[in-house]
């Protein structure tokens, strides 16, 4: 079965780009050293079709944004929001409603989980239409919000030979970081990483511009609809 038939038209091949990485600071007591991963049951695009991330094993391949199918080299699991529902508000998960990032189902993400978005603003500001931001920095965009966790949840982090961006729940683009040991060696060597997770003022500025794009588009569509009604 071809890739297009298996996953539909939402995927495309693009040339590898060079982006650098910047670690975030938020985490949770259950997985403080990582701060990333997807909750059990979240489906990702793999060589086996759309599979729940907790059903994947080392050696399975996952479809990546820049490099096609890549083999999983390691999987780590942990339970997060161990104190739910008494979890401190600063550690509450970020909820991405259905459809907001191309996801067919609601996504529940750790605050520091990297998410790739596409926008004209990113192209104008950074020279690349694709940018990676933390889930937390997207709070308020198209209904993305924090939610009190009511129970502990299993989190699964998958790793590849290098950091990658993978597809989750149809079209959401999720950043998978390098393994910590490999990252330490990478930093010591002074090498340049592949992806950059925007943070702080850079992320805030980009999200403000993306929201402005949405407002302009909504106003334009509204004007066109009113004009059509008088035609």
């Amino acid at each position: 079965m071809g890739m297009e038939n298996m996953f539909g038209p939402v995927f495309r091949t693009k040339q590898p780009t060079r982006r650098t990485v910047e670690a975030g600071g938020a985490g949770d007591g259950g997985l403080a050293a990582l701060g990333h991963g997807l909750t059990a049951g979240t489906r990702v695009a793999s060589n086996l079709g759309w599979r729940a991330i907790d059903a994947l094993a080392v050696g399975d391949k996952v479809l990546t944004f820049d490099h096609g199918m890549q083999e999983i080299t390691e999987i780590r699991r942990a339970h997060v929001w161990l104190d739910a529902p008494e979890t401190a508000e600063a550690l509450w998960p970020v909820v991405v409603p259905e459809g907001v990032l191309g996801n067919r189902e609601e996504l529940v993400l750790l605050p520091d989980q990297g998410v790739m978005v596409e926008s004209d603003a990113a192209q104008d500001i950074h020279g690349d239409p694709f940018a990676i931001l933390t889930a937390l920095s997207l709070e308020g965009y198209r209904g993305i919000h924090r939610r009190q966790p009511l129970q502990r949840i299993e989190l699964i982090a998958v790793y590849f030979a290098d950091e990658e961006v993978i597809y989750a729940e149809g079209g959401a683009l999720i950043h998978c970081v390098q393994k910590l040991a490999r990252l330490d060696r990478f930093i010591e060597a002074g090498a340049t990483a592949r992806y950059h997770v925007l943070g702080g003022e850079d992320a805030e500025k980009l999200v403000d511009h993306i929201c402005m794009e949405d407002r302009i588009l909504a106003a334009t569509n509204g004007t066109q609809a009113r004009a059509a009604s008088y035609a």
Side-chain angles (χ1 to χ4, degrees):
M1 180 182 294
M3 186 181 298
E4 185 169 316
N5 291 332
M6 184 182 297
F7 301 113
V10 295
F11 306 109
R12 61 199 174 106
T13 303
K14 70 187 290 292
Q15 293 299 315
T17 54
R18 300 298 297 178
R19 306 180 181 99
T20 56
V21 71
E22 177 182 77
D28 181 80
L31 205 57
L34 299 180
H36 64 277
L38 292 171
T39 56
T42 303
R43 293 171 299 176
V44 299
S46 77
N47 61 316
L48 304 172
W50 286 102
R51 299 276 287 183
I53 192 167
D54 45 307
L56 295 174
V58 171
D60 289 339
K61 293 184 177 180
V62 173
L63 183 61
T64 69
F65 182 72
D66 283 320
H67 307 104
M69 289 290 181
Q70 292 293 315
E71 184 175 309
I72 296 174
T73 60
E74 183 178 340
I75 296 176
R76 296 183 186 179
R77 299 168 180 262
H79 284 87
V80 292
W81 304 304
L82 303 181
D83 296 327
E86 286 77 34
T87 302
E89 187 171 349
L91 300 177
W92 285 9
V94 176
V95 178
V96 181
E98 176 185 349
V100 170
L101 297 177
N103 48 305
R104 296 171 184 162
E105 300 288 343
E106 178 183 88
L107 286 173
V108 179
L109 304 174
L110 286 177
D112 263 4
Q113 174 59 57
V115 179
M116 180 180 278
V117 298
E118 179 182 9
S119 75
D120 292 338
Q123 176 68 54
D124 294 340
I125 298 172
H126 301 287
D128 188 334
F130 298 96
I132 301 178
L133 305 93
T134 64
L136 179 59
S137 67
L138 290 169
E139 183 180 5
Y141 171 63
R142 294 187 178 181
I144 294 176
H145 61 280
R146 307 291 291 278
R147 185 167 71 196
Q148 180 184 24
L150 299 180
Q151 61 185 14
R152 65 175 62 189
I153 295 176
E154 186 180 24
L155 195 80
I156 294 91
V158 296
Y159 299 87
F160 306 91
D162 204 339
E163 60 179 323
E164 299 288 354
V165 171
I166 65 174
Y167 294 87
E169 294 296 354
L173 295 166
I174 303 298
H175 179 227
C176 297
V177 303
Q178 285 186 330
K179 290 185 291 187
L180 296 181
R182 179 180 173 85
L183 181 61
D184 289 342
R185 294 195 299 270
F186 190 86
I187 293 174
E188 289 174 0
T192 301
R194 180 175 292 153
Y195 297 103
H196 173 56
V197 181
L198 293 177
E201 293 182 1
D202 289 337
E204 183 177 349
K205 178 180 179 181
L206 180 56
V207 173
D208 284 346
H209 279 76
I210 293 174
C211 290
M212 186 181 299
E213 287 179 356
D214 268 11
R215 290 193 293 271
I216 293 172
L217 182 60
T220 300
N221 289 341
T223 300
Q224 291 175 342
R226 288 192 295 273
S229 68
Y230 290 112

